[in-house]
Amino acid sequence: MSRYSEDTDTLFSASANSQSPLAQRLRPQQLESIIGQTHFLNERFKRLLASDKWTGFIFWGPPGTGKTTLASVIAQITHRPYDALSAVTAGVKEIREVMERSRAEVRSGRLARILFIDEVHRLNKAQQDVLLPYLEDGSIRFIGATTENPSFEINNAIASRCIVFRFNPLSEAELLAILKRAAGEQKGHPIEIAPEVLERIAQASLGDARRALTWLDHLLLAGGDTKTITLKEFEELSHAQSVYYDKKSEAHYDTISAFIKSVRGSDPDAAIYYLARMLEAGEDALFIARRLIILASEDVGNANPAALMVATSAFQAVHAIGLPEARIVLAQATTYLACSEKSNRSYLAINEAMDAVKHTGAAEVPFHLRNAATTAMKDWGYGKGYQYPHDDPRGWVPAQYLPDAIKTARFYRPTENGGEKKFKEFLKNRGKE
């Protein structure tokens, strides 16, 4: 747990020391000093804090966007005692201790404490329930920070008592402003940072201020005898840094979703970009290959039947050779599928057929289609009247194949895209409009 200084005149964090990371030393302690999140950090938000009637906030957004900073600033503004816990290390026991202390202080006439829980999504639903009694009786003011969607990770009972604020990734301009301010605070430092380096850091930080300041800090610490840090030094430092991408997080699902939708939308450039992001972040190449097989049938289908063969071959090749060379195979399969004509009619057909089975049950198979495996079955009429299609020069004969209960049903409706156009013409000649 930590308690921040209540000195509201402090521009940057008073809890940090000279050994703290730069991001911690330069953590703003005034609302006006926070850069970014202008969509809700406005006069209305200030009035909400001034009213001091709020019960709880959920701060939801990617890393390095100011969630922890804003929580500590709120403590400064409201002059409330502030306890910061991380759900990574704290359990129900530590959380209850803070809330019981706050309840006792409230009963003695003092202000309720602010309890800030970082990574609150790491608490399971049962652990989150411990907050409810204290929120209901006003014993605590709660702020939870999460990188995950609260709709899935926060109890409904908790979420309904809190206001959710969505934190957006910081823009390059906002990150550059933070970096310039940080560089300005380093007056007297023997190493200078070239302006283009600050710009490059802002571009490479992907909206994450903590990442940007960490890079700046490391550049200054590793400068050695260098008088001016150039792009070369930054590229050497940043080369091994991976893209933020937790395989169990929303970023994982967002990126694979964007990848699939780009291929489906026939945009090979976007598809390759998201493929590169996944590979750079360490995504399983076989996972990507499996998704391409599914897409080949679901979204390309009979408009280009070869797509399934390409995707299946790609999976086999990826399995055989592995990364990094497998990236080439995945790129080929991705661009092939993106540039193929599309049809989802096979996908729709099986879904409609399965729905029909659920609603009509096991409708009787027409007798002429049944397997007459014994003499008795033949006597019962199994297989009677069946016409062998190859006996007809056309290769088909007009006959009823569906059960009587759904004999007029249509499940597969070919498009006019790619090879499926021929299927449509064939079925039209067969009388299946």
Side-chain angles (χ1 to χ4, degrees):
M1 290 183 292
S2 62
R3 173 84 178 270
Y4 282 88
S5 166
E6 294 183 356
D7 178 10
T8 56
D9 292 328
T10 302
L11 179 61
F12 295 117
S13 177
S15 64
N17 56 55
S18 60
Q19 300 303 309
S20 299
L22 184 62
Q24 176 65 22
R25 300 200 303 272
L26 297 184
R27 190 184 296 281
Q29 292 294 286
Q30 297 177 7
L31 198 60
E32 293 75 13
S33 301
I34 294 177
I35 296 174
Q37 314 312 329
T38 55
H39 58 289
F40 73 84
L41 289 182
N42 48 32
E43 291 301 319
R44 181 178 298 177
F45 185 79
K46 291 180 181 179
R47 288 196 296 270
L48 174 62
L49 295 182
S51 72
D52 212 23
K53 301 294 184 184
W54 57 280
T55 301
F57 298 142
I58 301 292
F59 293 164
W60 168 36
T65 52
K67 301 185 294 295
T68 303
T69 293
L70 183 57
S72 65
V73 167
I74 290 172
Q76 295 280 345
I77 292 173
T78 59
H79 302 284
R80 290 180 178 273
Y82 177 66
D83 295 284
L85 299 177
S86 170
V88 175
T89 55
V92 169
K93 180 177 180 291
E94 292 86 353
I95 294 171
R96 185 176 278 117
E97 285 176 356
V98 171
M99 294 190 295
E100 283 295 332
R101 185 187 309 121
S102 183
R103 176 176 278 174
E105 291 173 354
V106 169
R107 288 173 177 171
S108 68
R110 286 182 283 177
L111 293 174
R113 306 178 77 87
I114 292 177
L115 170 61
F116 173 70
I117 302 181
D118 197 14
E119 303 283 336
V120 68
H121 60 274
R122 293 180 181 268
L123 297 177
N124 63 40
K125 299 298 177 73
Q127 290 173 318
Q128 292 177 27
D129 282 342
V130 74
L131 296 165
L132 277 175
Y134 302 90
L135 286 173
E136 288 177 341
D137 68 10
S139 297
I140 200 77
R141 297 296 172 90
F142 171 66
I143 302 176
T146 176
T147 56
E148 303 302 312
N149 192 326
S151 301
F152 304 122
E153 303 296 338
I154 306 298
N155 272 358
N156 288 337
I158 300 293
S160 67
R161 289 166 172 80
C162 297
I163 302 174
V164 177
F165 291 98
R166 182 72 162 97
F167 282 63
N168 295 327
L170 300 180
S171 68
E172 288 183 17
E174 290 167 340
L175 287 172
L176 187 57
I178 291 171
L179 289 166
K180 287 181 177 179
R181 184 169 69 185
E185 288 293 316
Q186 310 305 308
K187 291 177 181 178
H189 198 286
I191 300 175
E192 292 186 1
I193 304 288
E196 60 270 21
V197 174
L198 298 181
E199 293 174 3
R200 183 69 186 93
I201 294 174
Q203 293 169 358
S205 296
L206 302 176
D208 184 337
R210 187 183 298 111
R211 175 182 291 219
L213 290 172
T214 298
W215 269 337
L216 178 61
D217 200 12
H218 287 179
L219 284 170
L220 292 172
L221 292 172
D225 296 330
T226 305
K227 292 185 177 180
T228 302
I229 300 294
T230 65
L231 284 174
K232 179 183 177 182
E233 284 79 17
F234 172 70
E235 297 299 340
E236 290 174 353
L237 172 68
S238 64
H239 178 71
Q241 306 299 316
S242 63
V243 177
Y244 172 72
Y245 188 89
D246 184 340
K247 294 180 185 178
K248 294 183 179 180
S249 76
E250 188 176 3
H252 162 77
Y253 297 104
D254 286 345
T255 308
I256 190 64
S257 175
F259 172 67
I260 294 299
K261 288 172 181 173
S262 298
V263 178
R264 180 185 297 142
S266 300
D267 188 333
D269 299 308
I272 282 289
Y273 167 74
Y274 290 115
L275 172 63
R277 273 182 56 167
M278 289 189 289
L279 293 175
E280 185 68 20
E283 183 59 86
D284 181 3
L286 286 173
F287 166 77
I288 300 171
R290 283 192 292 269
R291 293 305 300 263
L292 289 175
I293 293 175
I294 297 168
L295 186 144
S297 279
E298 179 180 339
D299 295 301
V300 179
N302 288 327
N304 181 5
L308 181 57
M309 292 184 284
V310 169
T312 303
S313 296
F315 177 84
Q316 294 171 340
V318 169
H319 182 73
I321 65 176
L323 290 169
E325 288 82 1
R327 77 190 190 284
I328 307 168
V329 177
L330 289 171
Q332 180 185 355
T334 295
T335 52
Y336 183 90
L337 296 178
C339 295
S340 292
E341 293 189 80
K342 306 294 192 296
S343 171
N344 70 340
R345 296 305 174 87
S346 296
Y347 167 76
L348 295 178
I350 186 59
N351 288 346
E352 290 182 25
M354 292 185 75
D355 189 57
V357 171
K358 291 175 184 177
H359 285 84
T360 63
E364 287 195 357
V365 175
F367 269 79
H368 68 281
L369 299 180
R370 297 188 184 189
N371 180 34
T374 67
T375 301
M377 289 178 173
K378 289 181 181 178
D379 293 342
W380 293 334
Y382 280 37
K384 185 178 180 180
Y386 173 69
Q387 300 177 63
Y388 189 56
H390 296 293
D391 288 341
D392 190 291
R394 298 170 299 181
W396 62 272
V397 292
Q400 178 186 328
Y401 291 95
L402 283 169
D404 288 338
I406 56 169
K407 64 181 180 181
T408 61
R410 286 289 308 280
F411 301 118
Y412 180 55
R413 303 174 183 85
T415 67
E416 294 191 357
N417 299 335
E420 205 165 40
K421 184 177 182 179
K422 293 182 179 179
F423 296 174
K424 186 173 184 178
E425 293 173 355
F426 172 74
L427 292 177
K428 183 178 180 180
N429 291 334
R430 273 209 59 207
K432 281 184 170 284
E433 294 289 344

